[in-house]
Amino acid sequence: MSLICFKTLYRKSTPVIRRTLLEFNPKYYSNSKSCIILGIETSCDDTGCAIVDSEGNILGEALHSQHLVHLNNGGIIPPIAQDLHRANIERVVNEAVQSSGIPFKEIDAIAATVKPGLPLSLMIGTKYSKYLCRKHDKPFMPIHHMEAHALTARMCDKSVEFPFLVLLISGGHCLVAVAERVDKFLLLGESLDDAPGEAFDKVARRMKLKNLPEYSKLSGGQAVELAARKADNPLAYKFTIPLQQYKNCNFSFSGIKNQLLLHLQREEILHDVPADRVIPGVYNLCAGFQIVVTRHICHRVQRAMEYAARKNLVPPDKQTLVVSGGAACNNFIKGGLKMVCDEYGYKIVRPPPKFCTDNGVMIAWNGVERFKENIGIYHDWEHIDVENSAPLGEDLTNDVETERISCKWVKLKGINLPQNQLQSSTV
């Protein structure tokens, strides 16, 4: 049987048939360019595990979400998150392995998120991964959570080649960087305070969207996006875009959040809103908040594109913007970024939403990318520990500001903005 026929048959087979095929041809994954990696993710509140091969085939996966528990608690409480990881990780890993039909002897390495994230959560995944490595005599691959988010697009879209521009927006992070290689990133800008997902969660909670049945089980970002679609006057509340006077690619969302809170407090007093009710203009407030967040993100990404062109960091024939992270699931934000990309000749790539949020697949795929390059494979791994914070690559944020790049902002057609926010000026 040819290797191509074997791979095709293997991908389409059930777990039982896969085991038989591996017994028939045990050397299928023996060469240096092929591998099977098991990945474990526990950086925050999702317990994920997946088995992925070198072609990007997801052989097995499982995920346990703590979303509803933390939603009811009003936010993530680290000790509770740790307890839930501890209670579910063995089951999640077993489900992923069983669904793959891959015996541990055929797995080449075990990858796990070790940074950045909640230390109590990271500890569970890292310790369990090391236990599996010890039990099955496998090498360990420590994974940087944000690098994994950045490279998942290469599994979903094989046309994404290095170098490319990447925007990562989530509940804990917001940054724009150039991905030069599997293990080399150039950081162009990052959040100075809140991450966008964090801001969405906080304002959704303060607006009491959870008290409306249709949003009661949604994350803050999902709730605000859906509520904004019901707005009859998205310009009802005035917002100003932050950091316009700073010629860099950094982000700031705390000021936008505080603007919303001031609007909300005035409305609650004006309409004498009971403690468990939402204000009459809640949909318009959600829309205004989402518009200014999108505009701000687009500003910083546009300047990053200008900087990348000035420094020849992304070849003109390979201009790709990868957008990932939980907040990247917001289609309104993606729509704004698409307009900027169209103006600058960039292709925009966003992994499917299930791979934008935290999951085991992205960790396993990062392990695959590293395994194929022979990077970060440890047989002596006892010294590797978790880190709650970890920079992404080489920091070029100061150099970006030094360039003093002015931009004629791309007008986001179809996005309603007040006259003083219609971006035709140079800032």
Side-chain angles (χ1 to χ4, degrees), residues 39 47-51 60-64 91-97 99 359-361:
T47 311
C49 179
I51 296 92
E61 62 176 316
L63 182 73
H64 174 79
R91 174 184 59 80
V92 168
V93 171
N94 287 339
E95 285 182 8
V97 173
S99 66
N359 60 86
V361 172

Side-chain angles (χ1 to χ4, degrees), residues 80-323:
I80 294 178
Q82 182 187 47
D83 290 343
L84 291 172
H85 282 305
R86 183 182 290 112
N88 289 284
I89 190 166
E90 184 173 20
R91 174 184 59 80
V92 168
V93 171
N94 287 339
E95 285 182 8
V97 173
Q98 290 171 9
S99 66
S100 74
I102 302 294
F104 263 99
K105 66 180 181 180
E106 301 298 339
I107 292 174
D108 292 283
I110 295 172
T113 310
V114 300
K115 60 184 178 182
L118 301 177
L120 294 179
S121 294
L122 288 169
M123 197 179 303
I124 299 300
T126 300
K127 285 186 175 180
Y128 194 78
S129 298
K130 290 181 177 180
Y131 156 75
L132 292 177
C133 289
R134 191 178 300 110
K135 179 179 179 180
H136 299 284
D137 191 24
K138 301 296 179 183
F140 178 62
M141 304 185 73
I143 302 297
H144 190 297
H145 183 78
M146 304 313 290
E147 290 182 6
H149 268 308
L151 298 188
T152 305
R154 283 170 47 83
M155 182 192 77
C156 303
D157 187 336
K158 297 300 190 293
S159 70
V160 178
E161 299 179 7
F162 295 114
F164 58 86
L165 196 64
V166 58
L167 171 71
L168 301 180
I169 45 178
S170 67
H173 302 276
C174 182
L175 58 88
V176 60
V178 174
E180 287 199 322
R181 296 196 305 266
V182 170
D183 63 337
K184 184 176 181 181
F185 292 79
L186 306 175
L187 181 65
L188 307 185
E190 61 185 339
S191 180
L192 303 176
D193 39 62
D194 291 353
E198 177 187 8
F200 273 117
D201 285 341
K202 288 179 177 178
V203 300
R205 187 158 56 245
R206 181 59 183 82
M207 287 188 289
K208 297 169 282 190
L209 292 179
K210 183 176 176 290
N211 293 350
L212 300 177
E214 59 193 302
Y215 310 121
S216 61
K217 296 183 179 181
L218 300 180
S219 68
Q222 291 174 315
V224 171
E225 182 181 6
L226 292 179
R229 294 178 186 176
K230 293 187 175 183
D232 56 15
N233 182 9
L235 311 183
Y237 300 96
K238 181 181 178 181
F239 287 88
T240 57
I241 303 170
L243 302 183
Q244 292 196 86
Q245 68 274 32
Y246 295 97
K247 290 182 170 58
N248 56 42
C249 295
N250 290 328
F251 303 83
S252 174
F253 297 94
S254 65
I256 303 174
K257 177 192 68 180
N258 290 335
Q259 290 179 62
L260 180 141
L261 296 179
L262 289 174
H263 287 309
L264 184 61
Q265 291 168 1
R266 284 193 291 265
E267 290 293 291
E268 287 177 336
I269 294 172
L270 178 64
H271 297 282
D272 192 21
V273 178
D276 62 341
R277 301 293 178 88
V278 300
I279 63 170
V282 67
Y283 300 134
N284 291 332
L285 190 55
C286 287
F289 180 80
Q290 184 173 242
I291 286 171
V292 71
V293 166
T294 300
R295 184 68 262 177
H296 177 49
I297 290 173
C298 288
H299 275 192
R300 317 322 276 181
V301 170
Q302 183 176 339
R303 181 171 280 119
M305 290 176 175
E306 294 273 7
Y307 178 81
R310 182 175 293 189
K311 298 289 186 173
N312 298 314
L313 298 178
V314 179
D317 60 337
K318 290 184 178 180
Q319 292 187 152
T320 299
L321 172 68
V322 167
V323 187

